[in-house]
Amino acid sequence: MKPFDILLALWVAVIWGFGFVFTRYALTEMTPTLLNLVRFAITALPCLLLPRPKLAWPVWIGISLLLVWQYLTQSWGIAQGVPAGLTAVIVQSQALFTIAFAAVLLGERPTRVQLIGIGVAACGLLMICFTVGYDFSFFAFAVTMTAPISFAFTNLLLRRARDVPMLDLFAWISLASLPPLAAVALLADGPAAIAASLTQLSPGVMAAMLSLSIGSTTIGYWIWGRLLHAYTAAQVVPFALLVPFIGAGASSLVFGEQFGPLRLSGMLIVVAGIAIMLLFGRARPLPEVG
């Protein structure tokens, strides 16, 4: 890769990692439902300039609903006390579930190295399970664990849109996600609470929302898609391994999050398992969401 493109890949990993920090910060003034409604509304704005990609409606609806569930559950988990750094690691475990679901649903036999990576990552998740119940509930952890599962199903559907530009794709997917997000926000928060919250947002939270929407999603995916078109997945995808490290490190510095020896070991083992799958398992390209 060219040095400039390496810097771009590193920058994307940084903004995706910090996305978990911005999410926790925004949740100090917004509910998870409102946060995601505003985020997807901003992300959908490029639809005014970009053509709608050709994609079957069942795929559109499936991806939209899965993304709504993924972002709602991971932000709800953070709101319930699941550390943002730990959430970053949990979400990246989608690589494990993607390979497993592809094997079960599509008959794709994982390689021996991929099976080793799945086993290593699963051991790390099990270690994290043993730390649950002290600073956040097991229920919050269980709900957060559905985010990478939803992410994995999204990956399988996204295989039908490999030739579609990522910027166009996610802008229009964001637009399709607005109706279910608006319905959930109205039911969970109510019109009065939504209006009051939007009129009282601090400049810091507004900046965090713009960073999540424009930085992490719009610009991040545009750069990521550009890199995937210019280089092989084996050259680009490994940079995503930096996301959980950056997310955990930034959360520790900004919020003072601390991880005990068992949880920290589990987090490192999960990332090690993902690294085995991506670097040595000859896995298919796995789209990443910050």
Side-chain angles (χ1 to χ4, degrees), residues 5 27 42 44-45 83 95 121 131 136 149 153 172 198 211 263 278:
D5 289 334
L27 287 170
I42 297 174
L45 290 178
T131 70
F136 57 89
I149 294 174
F153 281 115
W172 282 88
L198 290 176
S211 297
R263 181 177 295 175
L278 294 182

Side-chain angles (χ1 to χ4, degrees), residues 60-82:
W60 275 115
I61 296 173
I63 294 176
S64 299
L65 292 178
L66 287 168
L67 281 179
V68 167
W69 182 262
Q70 175 196 331
Y71 279 98
L72 281 178
T73 51
Q74 69 184 51
S75 56
W76 184 85
I78 293 175
Q80 296 300 310
V82 180

Side-chain angles (χ1 to χ4, degrees), residues 169-260:
L169 178 64
F170 277 90
W172 282 88
I173 286 177
S174 297
L175 180 65
S177 301
L178 290 180
L181 275 171
V184 173
L186 288 172
L187 289 173
D189 304 331
I194 291 175
S197 179
L198 290 176
T199 57
Q200 298 175 10
L201 294 180
S202 67
V205 169
M206 291 181 184
M209 287 302 308
L210 290 176
S211 297
L212 284 170
S213 305
I214 299 176
S216 296
T217 305
T218 303
I219 297 178
Y221 279 113
W222 174 70
I223 295 175
W224 197 252
R226 174 185 175 277
L227 293 174
L228 285 174
H229 279 95
Y231 302 97
T232 65
Q235 291 175 291
V236 179
V237 173
F239 283 95
L241 291 172
L242 298 174
V243 174
F245 289 108
I246 294 171
S251 298
S252 179
L253 290 174
V254 176
F255 301 115
E257 291 180 353
Q258 297 181 355
F259 308 101

Side-chain angles (χ1 to χ4, degrees), residues 31-122:
T31 64
T33 50
L34 181 58
L35 183 152
N36 286 288
L37 177 60
V38 174
R39 177 178 184 172
F40 277 72
I42 297 174
T43 306
L45 290 178
C47 291
L48 298 174
L49 302 174
L50 300 174
R52 183 175 67 86
K54 294 181 179 179
L55 202 61
W57 280 109
V59 179
W60 275 115
I61 296 173
I63 294 176
S64 299
L65 292 178
L66 287 168
L67 281 179
V68 167
W69 182 262
Q70 175 196 331
Y71 279 98
L72 281 178
T73 51
Q74 69 184 51
S75 56
W76 184 85
I78 293 175
Q80 296 300 310
V82 180
L86 177 59
T87 303
V89 176
I90 291 174
V91 171
Q92 290 306 313
S93 69
Q94 53 85 16
L96 179 161
F97 294 106
T98 300
I99 294 173
F101 292 157
V104 174
L105 300 177
L106 304 179
E108 297 182 2
R109 296 183 60 185
T111 65
R112 182 176 301 178
V113 175
Q114 286 176 332
L115 289 174
I116 293 173
I118 289 174
V120 171

Side-chain angles (χ1 to χ4, degrees), residues 122-148:
C123 288
L125 289 175
L126 185 61
M127 292 172 66
I128 294 172
C129 286
F130 288 127
T131 70
V132 174
Y134 299 99
D135 49 346
F136 57 89
S137 68
F138 182 82
F139 181 69
F141 175 72
V143 171
T144 305
M145 277 302 306
T146 66

